[in-house]
Amino acid sequence: VVVNDLGGSAFGEGSGSSRPADLVVNEIRAAGGKAAANYDSVEDGEKLVKTALESFGRIDIIINNAGILRDRSFARISDADWGDLLSSDCVNKMKVRTNGFVKLLQ
């Protein structure tokens, strides 16, 4: 499992703490699983794929549930927040899937 987390807030702000990803990796390993941490943004989907290939040599499945929270109704959301949501929840997921899917087929 590649555990990806920027270490920012639930609102998509900030980054720089490896602690969230490291904690999950340690839990997986303690339970007998194999895991590697990745701290890159999903904007750089190829880096997540690279971590998987370097750590495990292949990709068997892609689960990409990255996203940010903008707790506002459509009537109250700003254009900037809407853009952030689309980028994080749609565009960047496609970057991970596109890069990973090519490797998955190989």
Side-chain angles (χ1 to χ4, degrees), residues 29-42:
R29 289 178 178 166
K34 296 178 183 178
N38 177 280
Y39 317 107
D40 294 303
S41 170
V42 291

Side-chain angles (χ1 to χ4, degrees), residues 23-63:
L23 286 172
V24 175
V25 165
N26 290 337
E27 287 181 26
I28 293 169
R29 289 178 178 166
K34 296 178 183 178
N38 177 280
Y39 317 107
D40 294 303
S41 170
V42 291
E43 293 176 349
D44 301 313
E46 69 278 355
K47 291 181 180 178
L48 277 76
V49 171
K50 182 178 179 184
T51 298
L53 294 174
E54 288 176 349
S55 300
F56 306 108
R58 67 180 199 242
I59 295 174
D60 295 319
I61 189 169
I62 300 170
I63 299 172

Side-chain angles (χ1 to χ4, degrees), residues 11-24:
F11 300 100
E13 299 164 345
S15 65
S17 174
S18 63
R19 189 170 187 272
D22 292 341
L23 286 172
V24 175

Side-chain angles (χ1 to χ4, degrees), residues 41-46 48 62 64-68 80-100:
S41 170
V42 291
E43 293 176 349
D44 301 313
E46 69 278 355
L48 277 76
I62 300 170
N64 182 358
N65 61 342
I68 58 173
D81 283 344
W82 181 245
D84 289 346
L85 278 169
L86 287 176
S87 180
S88 174
D89 295 352
C90 296
V91 175
N92 294 331
K93 285 182 180 180
M94 190 62 189
K95 290 179 181 179
V96 173
R97 290 179 188 146
T98 300
N99 284 284

Side-chain angles (χ1 to χ4, degrees), residues 69-87:
L69 175 64
R70 296 292 188 258
D71 197 14
R72 295 172 187 84
S73 69
F74 285 118
R76 295 180 23 182
I77 195 165
S78 70
D79 288 344
D81 283 344
W82 181 245
D84 289 346
L85 278 169
L86 287 176
S87 180

